[in-house]
Structure formats: structure tokens, C-alpha cells
């Protein structure tokens, strides 16, 4: 079992861990079912919120977040739509 260390950013866009825990299961449910490197979903979600609030590109994420490629990969999964009339997971959470 892997231990996850949650560290706190100090950005105004961050979600507090208690609120994130309410949506964690939804975000984990969309992950690929293949062998992969563990992803810190809290960190990744906060990074996505940062890009939305600051209107910055992936490449300009501060270095204390996950790699921009990881954040982008999760964003693709969270915004995937099988039916164009459905809301994306990211919109629902």
C-alpha cells in the first residue's frame, strides 16, 4: 500500500483537503485501469484550479505542483464526454 503525503499549497485557488475529500472518489473512479505511477489527485486538482483561476497555460504551473503533463492528462480524463449532452466530470464536481 502506498502512502500519500498531502502537502498544502498557499495559493488562493487551492481547495481545502476536507472539501476535496468529498469529490475524491469521483475523480479516482475515472483513472485508467492500467499499471501507472501513483498520482497525487489533490495536488493535481489544485493545479487545475490554479490554471483556471490564473488563466495560465500548462507550462506556467509553479514547480511545487505535479508536472504539467500529469495535470493535463487528468484534465483530459476529467473532461472526456461520451455523450455531448452530458456534463463532464470536472463540471459536476
Amino acid at each position: 500500500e502506498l502512502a500519500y503525503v498531502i502537502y498544502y499549497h498557499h495559493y488562493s485557488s487551492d481547495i481545502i483537503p476536507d472539501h476535496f475529500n468529498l469529490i475524491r472518489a469521483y475523480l479516482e473512479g475515472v483513472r485508467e485501469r492500467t499499471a501507472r505511477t501513483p498520482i497525487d489527485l489533490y495536488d493535481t486538482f489544485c493545479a487545475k484550479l490554479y490554471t483556471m483561476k490564473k488563466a495560465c497555460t500548462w507550462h506556467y504551473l509553479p514547480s511545487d505542483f505535479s508536472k504539467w503533463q500529469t495535470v493535463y492528462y487528468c484534465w483530459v480524463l476529467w473532461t472526456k464526454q461520451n455523450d455531448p449532452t452530458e456534463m463532464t466530470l470536472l463540471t459536476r464536481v
Side-chain angles (χ1 to χ4, degrees), residues 72-83:
Y72 177 75
Y73 170 76
C74 287
W75 175 79
V76 168
L77 292 178
W78 296 339
T79 58
K80 184 177 178 182
Q81 287 181 291
N82 295 325
D83 180 354

Side-chain angles (χ1 to χ4, degrees), residues 43-44 47 58 61-63 65-73:
D43 180 65
T44 303
W58 307 105
L61 277 171
S63 62
F65 284 120
S66 299
K67 293 180 182 179
W68 74 264
Q69 295 92 333
T70 302
V71 178
Y72 177 75
Y73 170 76

Side-chain angles (χ1 to χ4, degrees), residues 21-40:
N21 286 332
L22 297 173
I23 62 172
R24 177 185 292 278
Y26 296 105
L27 299 176
E28 287 176 339
V30 79
R31 293 171 71 181
E32 296 289 319
R33 301 290 182 225
T34 58
R36 64 199 176 282
T37 304
I39 295 172
D40 182 342

